[in-house]
Amino acid sequence: QVQLAESGGGLVQTGDSLILSCAASGGTLGILAVAWFRQAPGKEREFVAGISYTGGTTNFADSVKGRFTISKDNAKNTGYLQMNSLKPEDTATYYCAAQQYGLGSPLERAYHAWGQGTQVAVSS
């Protein structure tokens, strides 16, 4: 069963950039869609971005469109979330998730594998 491990979180200032990584083991990213979700303190977990298993389709939440990009490197078995122009409201724990032969759905129930999360804090 595939296991996911996020890294790259940290404390940054408004306007900064950050790249989150999602390393997959026990499975090949070539057949996995990857998505990123986030959960801010006291809030529900929400969809951020998703990429299909082929890499040909991406989806983004309206709140991050134009600022975040999602990608995956099948050779490295790693997915990425590039976050630019960060805002305090982006502060959250970010989770990556994987779905076999998926299309990057924004629905949590579509994903069968989840990482433990990495924290991102954006100061104003």
Side-chain angles (χ1 to χ4, degrees):
Q1 185 169 346
V2 65
Q3 294 184 322
L4 305 174
E6 304 94 336
S7 61
L11 174 63
V12 297
Q13 295 185 331
T14 297
D16 284 351
S17 297
L18 208 55
I19 300 176
L20 303 184
S21 299
C22 174
S25 59
T28 175
L29 219 57
I31 62 168
L32 295 172
V34 175
W36 290 89
F37 292 79
R38 67 186 182 187
Q39 187 168 22
K43 294 190 176 181
E44 303 260 325
R45 188 158 59 184
E46 64 176 2
F47 172 78
V48 176
I51 185 167
S52 64
Y53 77 99
T54 64
T57 302
T58 56
N59 298 311
F60 295 93
D62 288 343
S63 59
V64 306
K65 276 180 185 176
R67 299 189 298 123
F68 290 12
T69 56
I70 186 171
S71 61
K72 65 189 185 97
D73 186 332
N74 293 339
K76 294 183 178 179
N77 240 23
T78 302
Y80 302 97
L81 183 69
Q82 169 76 52
M83 305 186 294
N84 298 326
S85 302
L86 283 162
K87 306 175 181 180
E89 51 263 44
D90 295 317
T91 295
T93 299
Y94 284 71
Y95 300 89
C96 68
Q99 176 194 25
Q100 192 167 335
Y101 297 114
L103 298 178
S105 169
L107 302 177
E108 287 190 40
R109 63 177 182 266
Y111 297 90
H112 66 277
W114 290 82
Q116 294 298 307
T118 185
Q119 292 191 337
V120 173
V122 184
S123 64
S124 57

Short mmCIF file of all heavy atoms in Angstrom, two decimals, residues 6-66:
data_model
loop_
_atom_site.label_atom_id
_atom_site.label_comp_id
_atom_site.label_asym_id
_atom_site.label_seq_id
_atom_site.Cartn_x
_atom_site.Cartn_y
_atom_site.Cartn_z
N GLU A 6 4.81 14.18 3.52
CA GLU A 6 4.96 15.57 3.10
C GLU A 6 6.18 16.19 3.77
O GLU A 6 6.58 15.80 4.87
CB GLU A 6 3.72 16.40 3.50
CG GLU A 6 2.40 15.89 2.98
CD GLU A 6 1.68 14.99 3.97
OE1 GLU A 6 2.37 14.40 4.84
OE2 GLU A 6 0.44 14.87 3.90
N SER A 7 6.72 17.19 3.09
CA SER A 7 7.82 17.98 3.66
C SER A 7 7.80 19.35 3.01
O SER A 7 7.12 19.56 2.00
CB SER A 7 9.17 17.30 3.43
OG SER A 7 9.43 17.16 2.05
N GLY A 8 8.54 20.27 3.61
CA GLY A 8 8.68 21.60 3.01
C GLY A 8 7.92 22.71 3.70
O GLY A 8 8.03 23.87 3.31
N GLY A 9 7.13 22.36 4.71
CA GLY A 9 6.40 23.40 5.42
C GLY A 9 7.32 24.28 6.24
O GLY A 9 8.51 23.99 6.41
N GLY A 10 6.77 25.36 6.76
CA GLY A 10 7.57 26.25 7.59
C GLY A 10 6.86 27.57 7.84
O GLY A 10 5.69 27.74 7.49
N LEU A 11 7.58 28.48 8.44
CA LEU A 11 7.07 29.83 8.74
C LEU A 11 7.64 30.79 7.72
O LEU A 11 8.86 30.90 7.57
CB LEU A 11 7.48 30.24 10.15
CG LEU A 11 7.16 31.67 10.56
CD1 LEU A 11 5.65 31.92 10.55
CD2 LEU A 11 7.74 31.96 11.94
N VAL A 12 6.75 31.49 7.03
CA VAL A 12 7.17 32.47 6.02
C VAL A 12 6.38 33.75 6.21
O VAL A 12 5.45 33.80 7.02
CB VAL A 12 6.96 31.94 4.59
CG1 VAL A 12 7.82 30.71 4.33
CG2 VAL A 12 5.50 31.63 4.34
N GLN A 13 6.76 34.77 5.45
CA GLN A 13 6.06 36.05 5.53
C GLN A 13 5.11 36.21 4.35
O GLN A 13 5.24 35.53 3.31
CB GLN A 13 7.07 37.19 5.54
CG GLN A 13 7.96 37.20 6.78
CD GLN A 13 8.87 38.40 6.82
OE1 GLN A 13 9.26 38.94 5.78
NE2 GLN A 13 9.20 38.84 8.03
N THR A 14 4.16 37.11 4.50
CA THR A 14 3.23 37.41 3.41
C THR A 14 3.98 37.76 2.14
O THR A 14 4.94 38.55 2.17
CB THR A 14 2.33 38.59 3.80
OG1 THR A 14 1.53 38.20 4.94
CG2 THR A 14 1.39 38.96 2.67
N GLY A 15 3.57 37.12 1.04
CA GLY A 15 4.22 37.37 -0.24
C GLY A 15 5.32 36.40 -0.58
O GLY A 15 5.77 36.35 -1.73
N ASP A 16 5.75 35.62 0.38
CA ASP A 16 6.82 34.65 0.14
C ASP A 16 6.30 33.45 -0.64
O ASP A 16 5.10 33.28 -0.84
CB ASP A 16 7.43 34.18 1.45
CG ASP A 16 8.35 35.20 2.08
OD1 ASP A 16 8.66 36.23 1.41
OD2 ASP A 16 8.76 35.00 3.24
N SER A 17 7.25 32.60 -1.05
CA SER A 17 6.93 31.36 -1.75
C SER A 17 7.43 30.17 -0.95
O SER A 17 8.37 30.29 -0.15
CB SER A 17 7.58 31.34 -3.14
OG SER A 17 7.07 32.37 -3.95
N LEU A 18 6.81 29.03 -1.21
CA LEU A 18 7.17 27.80 -0.52
C LEU A 18 6.84 26.63 -1.45
O LEU A 18 5.84 26.70 -2.19
CB LEU A 18 6.38 27.68 0.78
CG LEU A 18 6.95 26.92 1.98
CD1 LEU A 18 8.31 27.47 2.37
CD2 LEU A 18 5.98 27.04 3.15
N ILE A 19 7.66 25.60 -1.42
CA ILE A 19 7.36 24.39 -2.19
C ILE A 19 7.17 23.23 -1.22
O ILE A 19 8.07 22.91 -0.43
CB ILE A 19 8.49 24.05 -3.18
CG1 ILE A 19 8.71 25.19 -4.17
CG2 ILE A 19 8.14 22.77 -3.94
CD1 ILE A 19 9.88 24.95 -5.10
N LEU A 20 6.02 22.60 -1.29
CA LEU A 20 5.76 21.39 -0.51
C LEU A 20 6.00 20.17 -1.39
O LEU A 20 5.70 20.17 -2.57
CB LEU A 20 4.32 21.38 -0.01
CG LEU A 20 3.88 22.58 0.85
CD1 LEU A 20 2.45 22.36 1.34
CD2 LEU A 20 4.81 22.82 1.99
N SER A 21 6.57 19.14 -0.78
CA SER A 21 6.82 17.88 -1.48
C SER A 21 6.01 16.76 -0.85
O SER A 21 5.75 16.78 0.36
CB SER A 21 8.30 17.52 -1.42
OG SER A 21 9.09 18.51 -2.03
N CYS A 22 5.65 15.79 -1.67
CA CYS A 22 4.90 14.63 -1.22
C CYS A 22 5.60 13.40 -1.79
O CYS A 22 5.44 13.09 -2.98
CB CYS A 22 3.46 14.72 -1.71
SG CYS A 22 2.45 13.26 -1.37
N ALA A 23 6.37 12.72 -0.97
CA ALA A 23 7.13 11.54 -1.42
C ALA A 23 6.28 10.30 -1.24
O ALA A 23 5.74 10.06 -0.15
CB ALA A 23 8.42 11.43 -0.63
N ALA A 24 6.17 9.51 -2.31
CA ALA A 24 5.38 8.29 -2.27
C ALA A 24 6.30 7.08 -2.18
O ALA A 24 7.32 7.01 -2.86
CB ALA A 24 4.51 8.19 -3.51
N SER A 25 5.91 6.12 -1.36
CA SER A 25 6.63 4.85 -1.28
C SER A 25 5.61 3.71 -1.28
O SER A 25 4.46 3.91 -0.90
CB SER A 25 7.49 4.80 -0.01
OG SER A 25 6.68 4.96 1.15
N GLY A 26 6.04 2.55 -1.75
CA GLY A 26 5.14 1.42 -1.81
C GLY A 26 4.18 1.47 -2.98
O GLY A 26 3.22 0.70 -3.03
N GLY A 27 4.41 2.39 -3.88
CA GLY A 27 3.56 2.52 -5.04
C GLY A 27 4.21 3.43 -6.05
O GLY A 27 5.15 4.15 -5.72
N THR A 28 3.71 3.43 -7.26
CA THR A 28 4.29 4.27 -8.29
C THR A 28 3.39 5.44 -8.61
O THR A 28 2.20 5.28 -8.86
CB THR A 28 4.57 3.43 -9.56
OG1 THR A 28 5.02 4.31 -10.59
CG2 THR A 28 3.32 2.72 -10.04
N LEU A 29 3.98 6.60 -8.62
CA LEU A 29 3.21 7.82 -8.85
C LEU A 29 2.66 7.88 -10.27
O LEU A 29 1.74 8.66 -10.56
CB LEU A 29 4.10 9.04 -8.58
CG LEU A 29 3.43 10.23 -7.89
CD1 LEU A 29 2.82 9.82 -6.56
CD2 LEU A 29 4.42 11.36 -7.69
N GLY A 30 3.19 7.08 -11.13
CA GLY A 30 2.73 7.07 -12.51
C GLY A 30 1.27 6.68 -12.66
O GLY A 30 0.62 7.05 -13.64
N ILE A 31 0.71 5.94 -11.69
CA ILE A 31 -0.69 5.57 -11.77
C ILE A 31 -1.52 6.25 -10.69
O ILE A 31 -2.67 5.88 -10.45
CB ILE A 31 -0.89 4.04 -11.66
CG1 ILE A 31 -0.39 3.51 -10.31
CG2 ILE A 31 -0.19 3.32 -12.82
CD1 ILE A 31 -0.82 2.08 -10.03
N LEU A 32 -0.93 7.24 -10.05
CA LEU A 32 -1.62 7.90 -8.94
C LEU A 32 -1.91 9.37 -9.23
O LEU A 32 -1.01 10.12 -9.62
CB LEU A 32 -0.77 7.82 -7.66
CG LEU A 32 -0.52 6.43 -7.08
CD1 LEU A 32 0.47 6.50 -5.94
CD2 LEU A 32 -1.83 5.80 -6.62
N ALA A 33 -3.15 9.76 -9.02
CA ALA A 33 -3.47 11.18 -8.95
C ALA A 33 -3.01 11.67 -7.58
O ALA A 33 -3.05 10.93 -6.60
CB ALA A 33 -4.97 11.40 -9.09
N VAL A 34 -2.60 12.91 -7.52
CA VAL A 34 -2.14 13.50 -6.26
C VAL A 34 -2.95 14.76 -6.00
O VAL A 34 -3.21 15.55 -6.92
CB VAL A 34 -0.64 13.84 -6.31
CG1 VAL A 34 -0.21 14.57 -5.04
CG2 VAL A 34 0.19 12.57 -6.49
N ALA A 35 -3.34 14.95 -4.77
CA ALA A 35 -4.05 16.16 -4.40
C ALA A 35 -3.47 16.70 -3.11
O ALA A 35 -2.85 15.97 -2.32
CB ALA A 35 -5.54 15.89 -4.22
N TRP A 36 -3.69 17.98 -2.90
CA TRP A 36 -3.31 18.64 -1.66
C TRP A 36 -4.57 19.21 -1.02
O TRP A 36 -5.38 19.84 -1.69
CB TRP A 36 -2.31 19.76 -1.93
CG TRP A 36 -0.96 19.27 -2.34
CD1 TRP A 36 -0.54 19.01 -3.62
CD2 TRP A 36 0.14 18.96 -1.48
NE1 TRP A 36 0.76 18.56 -3.59
CE2 TRP A 36 1.20 18.53 -2.30
CE3 TRP A 36 0.34 19.02 -0.10
CZ2 TRP A 36 2.44 18.14 -1.77
CZ3 TRP A 36 1.56 18.64 0.41
CH2 TRP A 36 2.60 18.21 -0.41
N PHE A 37 -4.69 18.96 0.26
CA PHE A 37 -5.76 19.52 1.07
C PHE A 37 -5.10 20.29 2.22
O PHE A 37 -3.93 20.09 2.52
CB PHE A 37 -6.65 18.41 1.65
CG PHE A 37 -7.47 17.68 0.61
CD1 PHE A 37 -6.91 16.70 -0.20
CD2 PHE A 37 -8.82 17.97 0.45
CE1 PHE A 37 -7.67 16.03 -1.15
CE2 PHE A 37 -9.59 17.30 -0.49
CZ PHE A 37 -9.01 16.34 -1.29
N ARG A 38 -5.87 21.14 2.85
CA ARG A 38 -5.33 21.85 4.00
C ARG A 38 -6.40 22.01 5.06
O ARG A 38 -7.60 22.03 4.76
CB ARG A 38 -4.77 23.22 3.59
CG ARG A 38 -5.81 24.21 3.11
CD ARG A 38 -5.14 25.48 2.59
NE ARG A 38 -6.10 26.48 2.16
CZ ARG A 38 -5.79 27.61 1.55
NH1 ARG A 38 -4.50 27.89 1.29
NH2 ARG A 38 -6.73 28.47 1.19
N GLN A 39 -5.94 22.14 6.28
CA GLN A 39 -6.86 22.34 7.40
C GLN A 39 -6.28 23.40 8.32
O GLN A 39 -5.20 23.22 8.91
CB GLN A 39 -7.09 21.05 8.18
CG GLN A 39 -8.16 21.17 9.25
CD GLN A 39 -8.58 19.82 9.80
OE1 GLN A 39 -7.85 18.84 9.72
NE2 GLN A 39 -9.77 19.78 10.38
N ALA A 40 -7.00 24.51 8.41
CA ALA A 40 -6.62 25.58 9.30
C ALA A 40 -7.20 25.30 10.68
O ALA A 40 -8.19 24.59 10.80
CB ALA A 40 -7.14 26.91 8.76
N PRO A 41 -6.60 25.86 11.72
CA PRO A 41 -7.10 25.64 13.09
C PRO A 41 -8.58 26.01 13.21
O PRO A 41 -8.99 27.10 12.80
CB PRO A 41 -6.23 26.56 13.94
CG PRO A 41 -4.97 26.70 13.17
CD PRO A 41 -5.37 26.69 11.74
N GLY A 42 -9.37 25.09 13.72
CA GLY A 42 -10.78 25.35 13.93
C GLY A 42 -11.65 25.28 12.69
O GLY A 42 -12.84 25.61 12.74
N LYS A 43 -11.06 24.85 11.57
CA LYS A 43 -11.82 24.79 10.31
C LYS A 43 -11.80 23.37 9.75
O LYS A 43 -10.99 22.53 10.13
CB LYS A 43 -11.24 25.77 9.29
CG LYS A 43 -11.40 27.23 9.69
CD LYS A 43 -11.03 28.16 8.54
CE LYS A 43 -11.28 29.60 8.91
NZ LYS A 43 -10.95 30.52 7.79
N GLU A 44 -12.72 23.13 8.81
CA GLU A 44 -12.76 21.85 8.13
C GLU A 44 -11.59 21.75 7.14
O GLU A 44 -11.08 22.77 6.65
CB GLU A 44 -14.07 21.73 7.34
CG GLU A 44 -15.32 21.89 8.16
CD GLU A 44 -15.94 20.55 8.52
OE1 GLU A 44 -15.87 19.61 7.70
OE2 GLU A 44 -16.49 20.44 9.62
N ARG A 45 -11.21 20.53 6.85
CA ARG A 45 -10.19 20.32 5.83
C ARG A 45 -10.79 20.66 4.46
O ARG A 45 -11.95 20.33 4.18
CB ARG A 45 -9.69 18.88 5.85
CG ARG A 45 -8.50 18.64 4.96
CD ARG A 45 -7.70 17.41 5.39
NE ARG A 45 -8.47 16.19 5.39
CZ ARG A 45 -7.98 15.02 5.82
NH1 ARG A 45 -6.74 14.93 6.26
NH2 ARG A 45 -8.74 13.96 5.80
N GLU A 46 -9.99 21.33 3.63
CA GLU A 46 -10.48 21.76 2.33
C GLU A 46 -9.51 21.40 1.23
O GLU A 46 -8.30 21.31 1.44
CB GLU A 46 -10.73 23.28 2.32
CG GLU A 46 -9.48 24.12 2.51
CD GLU A 46 -9.74 25.62 2.40
OE1 GLU A 46 -10.90 26.03 2.20
OE2 GLU A 46 -8.75 26.38 2.49
N PHE A 47 -10.06 21.23 0.06
CA PHE A 47 -9.28 20.93 -1.13
C PHE A 47 -8.47 22.15 -1.55
O PHE A 47 -8.97 23.27 -1.52
CB PHE A 47 -10.23 20.51 -2.25
CG PHE A 47 -9.58 20.35 -3.60
CD1 PHE A 47 -8.86 19.22 -3.92
CD2 PHE A 47 -9.74 21.35 -4.58
CE1 PHE A 47 -8.29 19.07 -5.17
CE2 PHE A 47 -9.18 21.20 -5.83
CZ PHE A 47 -8.45 20.06 -6.13
N VAL A 48 -7.24 21.92 -1.98
CA VAL A 48 -6.39 23.00 -2.46
C VAL A 48 -6.11 22.82 -3.96
O VAL A 48 -6.35 23.73 -4.76
CB VAL A 48 -5.06 23.04 -1.69
CG1 VAL A 48 -4.13 24.11 -2.29
CG2 VAL A 48 -5.31 23.31 -0.21
N ALA A 49 -5.59 21.65 -4.32
CA ALA A 49 -5.22 21.41 -5.72
C ALA A 49 -5.12 19.91 -5.97
O ALA A 49 -4.86 19.14 -5.05
CB ALA A 49 -3.89 22.08 -6.04
N GLY A 50 -5.33 19.52 -7.22
CA GLY A 50 -5.22 18.12 -7.59
C GLY A 50 -4.66 17.99 -8.99
O GLY A 50 -4.84 18.87 -9.83
N ILE A 51 -3.97 16.88 -9.24
CA ILE A 51 -3.42 16.60 -10.56
C ILE A 51 -3.75 15.15 -10.90
O ILE A 51 -3.63 14.26 -10.06
CB ILE A 51 -1.90 16.88 -10.60
CG1 ILE A 51 -1.34 16.69 -12.02
CG2 ILE A 51 -1.14 16.03 -9.59
CD1 ILE A 51 0.08 17.25 -12.17
N SER A 52 -4.16 14.93 -12.14
CA SER A 52 -4.55 13.59 -12.56
C SER A 52 -3.34 12.65 -12.62
O SER A 52 -2.19 13.10 -12.63
CB SER A 52 -5.21 13.66 -13.93
OG SER A 52 -4.28 14.13 -14.91
N TYR A 53 -3.60 11.35 -12.70
CA TYR A 53 -2.51 10.39 -12.70
C TYR A 53 -1.63 10.55 -13.94
O TYR A 53 -0.43 10.28 -13.90
CB TYR A 53 -3.04 8.96 -12.59
CG TYR A 53 -3.62 8.37 -13.84
CD1 TYR A 53 -2.87 7.52 -14.64
CD2 TYR A 53 -4.93 8.65 -14.22
CE1 TYR A 53 -3.41 6.96 -15.78
CE2 TYR A 53 -5.47 8.10 -15.37
CZ TYR A 53 -4.71 7.25 -16.15
OH TYR A 53 -5.24 6.71 -17.28
N THR A 54 -2.21 11.06 -15.04
CA THR A 54 -1.41 11.29 -16.25
C THR A 54 -0.63 12.60 -16.17
O THR A 54 0.29 12.83 -16.94
CB THR A 54 -2.30 11.36 -17.49
OG1 THR A 54 -3.16 12.50 -17.37
CG2 THR A 54 -3.13 10.09 -17.64
N GLY A 55 -1.04 13.45 -15.23
CA GLY A 55 -0.43 14.78 -15.15
C GLY A 55 -1.03 15.78 -16.11
O GLY A 55 -0.64 16.94 -16.12
N GLY A 56 -2.02 15.34 -16.88
CA GLY A 56 -2.57 16.20 -17.90
C GLY A 56 -3.69 17.11 -17.45
O GLY A 56 -4.06 18.04 -18.16
N THR A 57 -4.22 16.86 -16.28
CA THR A 57 -5.34 17.67 -15.76
C THR A 57 -5.03 18.14 -14.36
O THR A 57 -4.55 17.37 -13.53
CB THR A 57 -6.64 16.85 -15.74
OG1 THR A 57 -6.93 16.36 -17.04
CG2 THR A 57 -7.80 17.69 -15.23
N THR A 58 -5.29 19.43 -14.12
CA THR A 58 -5.11 19.98 -12.78
C THR A 58 -6.37 20.72 -12.36
O THR A 58 -7.11 21.24 -13.20
CB THR A 58 -3.92 20.96 -12.71
OG1 THR A 58 -4.10 21.99 -13.69
CG2 THR A 58 -2.61 20.23 -12.98
N ASN A 59 -6.61 20.72 -11.06
CA ASN A 59 -7.74 21.45 -10.48
C ASN A 59 -7.24 22.28 -9.31
O ASN A 59 -6.32 21.84 -8.59
CB ASN A 59 -8.80 20.47 -9.96
CG ASN A 59 -9.39 19.61 -11.04
OD1 ASN A 59 -9.81 20.10 -12.08
ND2 ASN A 59 -9.43 18.31 -10.82
N PHE A 60 -7.83 23.43 -9.13
CA PHE A 60 -7.43 24.31 -8.03
C PHE A 60 -8.66 24.89 -7.35
O PHE A 60 -9.66 25.18 -8.00
CB PHE A 60 -6.55 25.47 -8.54
CG PHE A 60 -5.24 25.03 -9.10
CD1 PHE A 60 -5.11 24.78 -10.45
CD2 PHE A 60 -4.15 24.83 -8.28
CE1 PHE A 60 -3.90 24.36 -10.98
CE2 PHE A 60 -2.93 24.41 -8.79
CZ PHE A 60 -2.81 24.17 -10.15
N ALA A 61 -8.54 25.09 -6.05
CA ALA A 61 -9.55 25.85 -5.34
C ALA A 61 -9.47 27.30 -5.80
O ALA A 61 -8.39 27.80 -6.14
CB ALA A 61 -9.31 25.76 -3.84
N ASP A 62 -10.60 27.98 -5.82
CA ASP A 62 -10.63 29.36 -6.27
C ASP A 62 -9.67 30.24 -5.46
O ASP A 62 -9.07 31.19 -5.99
CB ASP A 62 -12.04 29.93 -6.17
CG ASP A 62 -12.97 29.35 -7.23
OD1 ASP A 62 -12.47 28.77 -8.22
OD2 ASP A 62 -14.19 29.46 -7.06
N SER A 63 -9.53 29.91 -4.19
CA SER A 63 -8.72 30.74 -3.30
C SER A 63 -7.23 30.71 -3.63
O SER A 63 -6.48 31.58 -3.17
CB SER A 63 -8.94 30.31 -1.85
OG SER A 63 -8.58 28.96 -1.68
N VAL A 64 -6.79 29.72 -4.41
CA VAL A 64 -5.37 29.60 -4.70
C VAL A 64 -5.06 29.71 -6.19
O VAL A 64 -3.88 29.69 -6.58
CB VAL A 64 -4.77 28.29 -4.14
CG1 VAL A 64 -5.07 28.15 -2.66
CG2 VAL A 64 -5.27 27.08 -4.92
N LYS A 65 -6.08 29.80 -7.03
CA LYS A 65 -5.85 29.91 -8.47
C LYS A 65 -4.98 31.09 -8.79
O LYS A 65 -5.16 32.19 -8.29
CB LYS A 65 -7.20 30.04 -9.21
CG LYS A 65 -7.88 28.73 -9.48
CD LYS A 65 -9.20 28.93 -10.22
CE LYS A 65 -9.93 27.62 -10.38
NZ LYS A 65 -11.26 27.79 -10.99
N GLY A 66 -4.00 30.85 -9.65
CA GLY A 66 -3.08 31.91 -10.05
C GLY A 66 -1.91 32.08 -9.11
O GLY A 66 -0.94 32.78 -9.44
#
